[in-house]
Amino acid sequence: MPSIVPARSDPSYVLNQIVLSPSDTDYLDQLIPSISEYSHGNKTSQLLHSLSEFAGDRENEIERICNASHQEFVTSVNQLLRIREGTVNLTTEILSLSQSIQSSTERLVQQKKALVDSRGVRQNINEAGNALQDCLEVLRLANQVHDLLARKNFYAALRALDELQNVHLRSVTQYKIAEMIRRSVPATQKTIADAVMNDLNTWLFRIREMSQYLGELSFYNTDLRKQRQQERAERTPYLSNFKLNSAIELVSDEHEEYDVLNNDDLQVDFTPLFECLHIHQSLGQMDKFRAEYAATRRRQKELLLPASISLVDEDMANLHTLLEDMAGFAIVERATMKRAPDLRSSIDVEELWDSLCQTAISLIGKALPDVDNAEQLLKVKNLIALFIQTMNTWRFPTAAMSGFLLTLFEKYAQLLKRRFSDDFLEIVSTDDYMPMPIQNAEEFEKVITVSWYCPERAVDDTKFPCVLPFSQMYPLCCIDIRNFLNQFYFYANDDFPHREVVDEALRVALDDLLCEEVCGSLVQKLSVQYIGQIVQILINLEHFETACKELESLLVKARSPESSIGSVSLRATEKFRNNKKTAEKRIFELVNSKIDDLVETAEYDWAGTTKPIEPSTYIQTLTQYLSNIMNSMLLSLPTEIKELIYFDAISHAAKAILALPLSPTVTKINPNGISALSIDVHFLSDFVSSLQNPILQQNLDELQQTVALMESDNSDEFYDSGLRNRKYGQVNPLNGPLLLEKITKVVEAAPQTAATSAAERLKGFGTRFGMR
């Protein structure tokens, strides 16, 4: 019967294709189209039912198979586990056996290597023993060389080494040790050279340690020589022309000869140096020794110099140590050059000396900014000058250090100028600007001694207490000026070779101080409003001008012979003279300003209804003011200056009064107004006449003639040139017609209003202007 093939849409067919799928991919390839097909036909439940039936059949079949073969399966699993456990145990035993074999092999290799090494060592020991036995005699002789070296018998060791090399080594030439000893000879020679060099270095170290003491002794000896030279100069003034280290001084001091290298306090033994020199000459290494010695001394020179020094300590320990070390080092170099000319040349010594000087100058220069005291800097200069004189004794060039003294001098001059500048400023600022009172003759003598002032009367003819024309700032400044001169010349004593520089620097510095600090400060004080103070400043300026002239002569006398011949001129002399004019102008300004203020208070009633019978209050106050300042504030001024101030004041007052009727605000002037002005002008004229100086009266001519023209009944005379020149010659041709146009002969009645009298308006005016 033929088989019936199910249709592709049959669920059994689809289920069969899904189960038979060889992989998950094929499984999904069969499942997805079937799901899609059954979904469209609403047969999804039929497919799920078929799958469930198939799954149930498969589970029943698996359960049946497991129930039939369960015991056999468990037995097979147990057997497999036991086989696996046996396999693991066998693997562990195999690994343990392999490690044991490997360890045994390594021990065998080590034992074999040790056996080989021990045989080589034993063979080497045997050969060395035989060689040593044969060469003991040679080694004994070689050791003898080192024994001599240890006992510091350097020259004997060198001779023994030469005998070993040329005699004893010939009997053992078949051994290599002979060649080794022969090759070691240069090293032994070097050892000898190094040993003797070590001895020399020890000697050099001791020399370096005693360098400061050596320099200190040298400075002390130089100072004693200076004292002896001064004593000889006091006994014989002619010897003062010769400085330290001059031929005359050296001859005069021969009986005091002193060896700083060999005396009761210090002995410098050059034996180690000579021995080292002899050894190196025997070795033929003189050039090498010379180079090593030079390098050692250069290193010692570097160690000698500190990284920095301080100049602000009171005893200047740093500078003392530096200069004394330098002096001791250089003296040893000069002594070495004289004792061993083949070792040290003058070029080598001077090269080190120049390096020392330059470094010392640099160190001192870096420490200079910290010094702010001129006296401290003077100590520095004196110590350096002593150092220069000491090294000149040993014929060292000292031009660099002498030049550095100029740098120190510049700093010294700056410090002095700064200090005295502060002093002058304080004196000027704290002065009371009043004539200086003197209580007794002793005080008078002191002031005259320090000041450049010649009193009109001698001390015996002077009554005390008295008053000097200048204020106390003048003698105080004179004292400071003298101290300033002395401080400068303290620096320029016999051990300073640049006296001409000091002369010029002193002139410039003194000129600057007088111009800027004294004169400049006084000129600034002229801005005050108190005339008495300005008058005193003017008097002080005059005395300072005199002092400057005296200073010019003093500077010429104190000038050193090296300075140029001729007069000395100070800018300050001209500046004080010119600023006297400035002070005079300032007095003019203040006096004229007071006059303007007084004239401004004048209240003329140019159209007054009554004729005044007394001068105005302002003109009375004005004349009283002029009288007071001339008899009090300006009394101490020279007569010519006082007259000049009076002349200018009266002239200014006349012009100010004349400007009152000329004012544009004044349009009409009646006879009463002219009468008031005339009374005031006559009052001023009477005051000027009382001064008994015809020149002062001339200042009122224009004012008087102008008032006369205003009072004249015939004004046509002014327009007649002949009459005008005779009667009104001083009247300004432009002012005359202007005033004549304002004059009216009509006196109008006064309005019935209360008016404040001029006396009330000027009440207290004298107090406001500081007048009693």
Side-chain angles (χ1 to χ4, degrees):
M1 182 176 180
S3 60
I4 300 174
V5 179
R8 291 183 177 272
S9 59
D10 188 14
S12 61
Y13 175 78
V14 174
L15 181 60
N16 189 38
Q17 292 297 321
I18 292 173
V19 171
L20 294 177
S21 298
S23 64
D24 293 339
T25 303
D26 292 340
Y27 170 80
L28 293 174
D29 291 342
Q30 296 294 332
L31 179 60
I32 293 173
S34 300
I35 294 173
S36 177
E37 181 180 352
Y38 280 93
S39 296
H40 290 291
N42 295 322
K43 297 180 180 181
T44 305
S45 58
Q46 185 179 356
L47 177 61
L48 292 174
H49 179 71
S50 299
L51 289 172
S52 298
E53 286 182 354
F54 181 77
D57 292 343
R58 290 297 180 182
E59 288 179 358
N60 292 331
E61 185 179 355
I62 291 171
E63 183 178 357
R64 180 178 55 80
I65 294 172
C66 287
N67 289 332
S69 305
H70 176 71
Q71 188 61 37
E72 295 177 0
F73 177 74
V74 172
T75 303
S76 298
V77 171
N78 291 333
Q79 288 177 354
L80 287 174
L81 291 175
R82 284 195 296 271
I83 292 171
R84 183 180 180 184
E85 181 179 0
T87 303
V88 171
N89 292 335
L90 288 174
T91 302
T92 302
E93 291 179 2
I94 291 171
L95 291 175
S96 176
L97 180 60
S98 176
Q99 291 177 357
S100 176
I101 294 171
Q102 185 177 357
S103 300
S104 300
T105 304
E106 291 177 354
R107 285 197 299 273
L108 180 61
V109 171
Q110 291 176 356
Q111 290 175 0
K112 185 176 180 179
K113 182 179 179 181
L115 178 60
V116 172
D117 291 342
S118 62
R119 286 178 180 176
V121 170
R122 185 171 62 251
Q123 184 178 356
N124 291 339
I125 291 174
N126 292 335
E127 291 176 357
N130 295 332
L132 288 173
Q133 191 67 31
D134 293 338
C135 298
L136 281 177
E137 183 63 22
V138 174
L139 291 175
R140 185 186 65 79
L141 296 174
N143 288 334
Q144 184 179 2
V145 173
H146 291 281
D147 291 340
L148 293 172
L149 184 60
R151 294 197 296 271
K152 296 186 179 298
N153 294 330
F154 302 120
Y155 190 71
L158 186 63
R159 295 299 89 195
L161 181 62
D162 184 65
E163 182 180 354
L164 175 64
Q165 180 183 11
N166 296 322
V167 178
H168 298 285
L169 283 181
R170 294 180 180 179
S171 61
V172 290
T173 54
Q174 69 275 23
Y175 300 110
K176 292 184 179 180
I177 193 170
E179 183 62 25
M180 293 173 60
I181 293 177
R182 185 175 288 107
R183 288 198 303 267
S184 69
V185 167
T188 306
Q189 290 176 342
K190 184 177 183 304
T191 301
I192 295 173
D194 290 344
V196 74
M197 199 65 187
N198 287 336
D199 255 18
L200 179 65
N201 289 335
T202 302
W203 177 77
L204 288 174
F205 176 77
R206 290 198 298 268
I207 289 295
R208 185 169 69 87
E209 291 294 318
M210 69 175 64
S211 291
Q212 182 182 355
Y213 186 54
L214 177 59
E216 184 180 351
L217 288 178
S218 302
F219 287 0
Y220 177 71
N221 182 52
T222 302
D223 196 40
L224 290 179
R225 288 173 55 202
K226 290 174 64 177
Q227 295 178 14
R228 292 195 292 267
Q229 176 67 5
Q230 290 175 358
E231 293 173 358
R232 287 191 292 268
E234 291 175 359
R235 294 193 300 268
T236 308
Y238 174 73
L239 294 179
S240 61
N241 297 322
F242 302 99
K243 298 181 179 180
L244 204 68
N245 294 316
S246 64
I248 297 297
E249 187 273 332
L250 292 174
V251 170
S252 301
D253 208 57
E254 279 183 344
H255 64 283
E256 299 287 348
E257 187 174 354
Y258 180 80
D259 187 359
V260 295
L261 295 171
N262 188 14
N263 51 72
D264 296 338
D265 299 314
L266 180 67
Q267 296 83 34
V268 180
D269 184 12
F270 286 86
T271 300
L273 175 63
F274 295 147
E275 184 178 15
C276 189
L277 183 63
H278 185 56
I279 291 293
H280 283 83
Q281 284 178 339
S282 300
L283 292 173
Q285 298 178 359
M286 193 59 195
D287 292 340
K288 179 182 178 182
F289 172 63
R290 190 181 293 111
E292 289 182 357
Y293 183 84
T296 301
R297 291 299 281 171
R298 282 194 296 271
R299 287 193 298 270
Q300 288 190 330
K301 184 261 297 183
E302 297 297 333
L303 294 174
L304 190 72
L305 301 170
S308 62
I309 63 172
S310 173
L311 300 177
V312 296
D313 49 335
E314 186 175 355
D315 56 354
M316 294 188 299
N318 289 162
L319 185 61
H320 270 282
T321 301
L322 174 64
L323 297 181
E324 289 167 359
D325 279 337
M326 288 174 58
F329 183 89
I331 290 172
V332 170
E333 282 293 291
R334 184 68 79 188
T336 302
M337 187 190 75
K338 291 180 179 180
R339 288 168 171 78
D342 294 338
L343 177 62
R344 301 295 282 164
S345 65
S346 60
I347 296 177
D348 297 332
V349 174
E350 290 181 4
E351 181 182 354
L352 282 179
W353 168 249
D354 290 340
S355 177
L356 282 172
C357 290
Q358 294 301 325
T359 306
I361 289 172
S362 177
L363 289 172
I364 299 173
K366 291 178 181 178
L368 275 182
D370 297 332
V371 181
D372 57 357
N373 183 281
E375 285 73 17
Q376 185 74 7
L377 201 60
L378 186 61
K379 294 179 182 178
V380 173
K381 174 260 174 183
N382 290 334
L383 185 55
I384 294 177
L386 181 62
F387 169 76
I388 291 174
Q389 291 173 331
T390 301
M391 303 321 293
N392 282 337
T393 306
W394 291 86
R395 300 295 185 266
F396 279 100
T398 56
M401 297 300 291
S402 296
F404 183 65
L405 290 181
L406 284 176
T407 303
L408 289 180
F409 174 70
E410 293 175 0
K411 174 72 172 180
Y412 180 76
Q414 292 175 1
L415 292 177
L416 278 183
K417 187 176 178 181
R418 185 188 310 163
R419 190 183 77 190
F420 280 93
S421 174
D422 295 339
D423 290 346
F424 283 132
L425 287 176
E426 183 179 359
I427 291 172
V428 173
S429 61
T430 57
D431 191 45
D432 57 3
Y433 293 97
M434 297 291 290
M436 185 176 182
I438 300 296
Q439 302 299 327
N440 49 54
E442 182 182 359
E443 187 177 349
F444 186 84
E445 286 285 357
K446 289 181 180 179
V447 173
I448 298 304
T449 301
V450 300
S451 305
W452 289 277
Y453 171 66
C454 295
E456 297 178 357
R457 299 179 181 178
V459 181
D460 297 336
D461 298 335
T462 304
K463 295 182 179 180
F464 298 98
C466 66
V467 175
L468 296 179
F470 45 78
S471 63
Q472 63 179 358
M473 69 157 290
Y474 175 69
L476 291 177
C477 286
C478 290
I479 293 173
D480 263 11
I481 290 172
R482 293 181 184 275
N483 289 336
F484 187 70
L485 297 177
N486 292 334
Q487 291 288 335
F488 254 85
Y489 285 120
F490 283 160
Y491 195 96
N493 51 19
D494 293 338
D495 51 19
F496 185 68
H498 309 285
R499 286 287 301 275
E500 70 283 357
V501 176
V502 175
D503 293 333
E504 181 61 19
L506 173 59
R507 184 192 67 79
V508 173
L510 181 60
D511 215 358
D512 290 343
L513 287 175
L514 291 173
C515 289
E516 297 171 8
E517 311 304 338
V518 180
C519 187
S521 300
L522 288 175
V523 172
Q524 290 179 359
K525 295 287 184 180
L526 293 177
S527 60
V528 300
Q529 301 297 321
Y530 181 53
I531 295 180
Q533 182 173 342
I534 298 176
V535 170
Q536 190 59 60
I537 291 174
L538 176 59
I539 295 172
N540 289 350
L541 288 170
E542 183 175 10
H543 284 281
F544 275 115
E545 180 187 0
T546 303
C548 286
K549 295 177 181 178
E550 296 293 334
L551 281 172
E552 290 174 348
S553 301
L554 182 61
L555 291 176
V556 172
K557 295 177 182 178
R559 182 186 297 171
S560 64
E562 294 83 1
S563 300
S564 58
I565 300 176
S567 61
V568 173
S569 178
L570 293 175
R571 291 183 297 110
T573 306
E574 185 67 22
K575 193 163 185 179
F576 281 117
R577 183 182 302 116
N578 294 336
N579 281 294
K580 285 197 307 180
K581 301 295 183 183
T582 305
E584 293 174 8
K585 292 179 181 178
R586 181 59 179 160
I587 295 175
F588 293 158
E589 291 175 1
L590 290 178
V591 172
N592 292 340
S593 175
K594 298 293 185 182
I595 292 174
D596 289 338
D597 291 340
L598 289 170
V599 174
E600 285 178 2
T601 62
E603 295 184 357
Y604 286 105
D605 187 2
W606 301 109
T609 57
T610 59
K611 184 176 182 179
I613 59 176
E614 293 183 354
S616 303
T617 304
Y618 90 91
I619 200 68
Q620 297 179 25
T621 307
L622 174 63
T623 54
Q624 183 182 1
Y625 169 72
L626 293 175
S627 177
N628 287 342
I629 63 172
M630 289 302 170
N631 294 322
S632 58
M633 299 179 184
L634 306 182
L635 184 62
S636 56
L637 285 176
T639 304
E640 61 274 10
I641 297 178
K642 183 164 58 174
E643 290 180 352
L644 184 62
I645 294 174
Y646 232 10
F647 182 88
D648 185 79
I650 294 174
S651 175
H652 186 79
K655 292 178 181 178
I657 295 172
L658 182 60
L660 293 175
L662 290 171
S663 174
T665 59
V666 179
T667 57
K668 293 182 180 182
I669 304 175
N670 66 16
N672 292 335
I674 296 174
S675 178
L677 178 63
S678 178
I679 292 173
D680 290 345
V681 172
H682 281 89
F683 185 83
L684 178 62
S685 177
D686 292 342
F687 169 74
V688 174
S689 298
S690 67
L691 300 178
Q692 299 180 354
N693 190 338
I695 297 178
L696 298 178
Q697 189 68 39
Q698 295 176 4
N699 289 331
L700 301 178
D701 288 349
E702 181 182 4
L703 178 62
Q704 290 175 330
Q705 291 182 15
T706 301
V707 172
L709 175 62
M710 295 172 67
E711 291 177 327
S712 174
D713 295 332
N714 187 8
S715 59
D716 293 337
E717 293 178 348
F718 183 76
Y719 298 103
D720 186 339
S721 59
L723 293 174
R724 184 179 67 210
N725 291 335
R726 186 173 64 253
K727 297 180 65 175
Y728 310 112
Q730 299 298 323
V731 178
N732 190 307
L734 298 179
N735 293 339
L738 182 63
L739 290 172
L740 292 175
E741 290 178 0
K742 296 182 179 183
I743 295 175
T744 176
K745 301 300 183 179
V746 178
V747 178
E748 299 177 356
Q752 299 298 320
T753 57
T756 304
S757 66
E760 291 177 349
R761 286 195 297 271
L762 291 175
K763 184 178 182 180
F765 184 82
T767 303
R768 179 154 57 93
F769 282 95
M771 297 180 296
R772 297 179 178 81

